[in-house]
Amino acid sequence: MGKRGPAKKPTTLKILQGNPGKRPLNLNEPKPKPIMPPIPKWLDTAAKKEWKRIAEELKTMGLLTYIDGAALAGYCKCFSMVQAANAEIKERGTTYTTPTGFIRDNPAIDRMRQYLTLMRQYLSEFGLSPASRAGLAIKPIDTEDDPMEQIANRRR
């Protein structure tokens, strides 16, 4: 049985939001080094282009580390799949007529909807959806300074 309630927010996101709930911060949260993960070779061209567009910004905000590469790759692949579904919709239209004369939605619409939902979930994980970043007050983080250490030192 899984955990109940909403997913826990990473401490880095809580700090960027100013800890609106004023709950104690987990200063013992794992702190992977902010090393840029490599672009996975299996990503297609559109996904790699999206990776290049977003990865540096995530790293600058302190939201991307080496171990986050799989999550970012998942987001980028979904982005690419949305583009492919959109191209199919443009080419074939939003509906088609079956051999028996019924009008049906293009299956690419459902695929696009599914991938957009996944994209939104990945973006929320990184604090990048409009709702999840509404409370963020982002200052570029020096990659050599650990934001958790900065918080810990302020409280001493």
Side-chain angles (χ1 to χ4, degrees):
M1 192 165 187
K3 293 182 180 180
R4 295 179 155 229
K8 297 212 183 270
K9 252 184 216 176
T11 301
T12 303
L13 278 180
K14 286 183 182 179
I15 291 168
L16 291 172
Q17 291 175 333
N19 193 18
K22 305 298 182 214
R23 292 187 175 92
L25 296 173
N26 179 8
L27 298 177
N28 295 320
E29 183 175 282
K31 297 174 240 173
K33 294 188 185 218
I35 299 169
M36 179 76 76
I39 298 175
K41 292 179 177 22
W42 56 267
L43 289 178
D44 61 29
T45 304
K48 286 178 180 176
K49 185 176 178 183
E50 179 64 1
W51 176 290
K52 290 173 185 173
R53 186 188 74 80
I54 199 168
E56 190 61 43
E57 192 66 30
L58 285 170
K59 186 176 177 239
T60 300
M61 293 186 308
L63 298 174
L64 181 64
T65 67
Y66 189 81
I67 63 174
D68 300 320
L72 182 57
Y75 160 77
C76 292
K77 185 60 182 172
C78 288
F79 180 88
S80 171
M81 296 303 289
V82 166
Q83 286 186 329
N86 190 49
E88 182 180 329
I89 293 166
K90 280 184 179 179
E91 181 183 321
R92 298 186 177 156
T94 56
T95 60
Y96 69 98
T97 305
T98 67
T100 56
F102 290 101
I103 297 175
R104 300 278 185 234
D105 285 340
N106 183 335
I109 293 172
D110 283 335
R111 286 196 311 276
M112 185 161 73
R113 189 177 300 125
Q114 290 169 344
Y115 287 117
L116 284 169
T117 298
L118 288 171
M119 278 177 61
R120 187 171 42 250
Q121 291 169 350
Y122 281 118
L123 289 171
S124 287
E125 289 294 317
F126 285 109
L128 295 178
S129 67
S132 64
R133 78 169 174 261
L136 297 181
I138 296 174
K139 296 178 184 171
I141 296 172
D142 184 359
T143 56
E144 294 183 20
D145 292 339
D146 183 354
M148 298 302 122
E149 288 298 321
Q150 293 172 2
I151 294 297
N153 291 335
R154 264 193 268 159
R155 295 181 178 231
R156 291 183 188 167

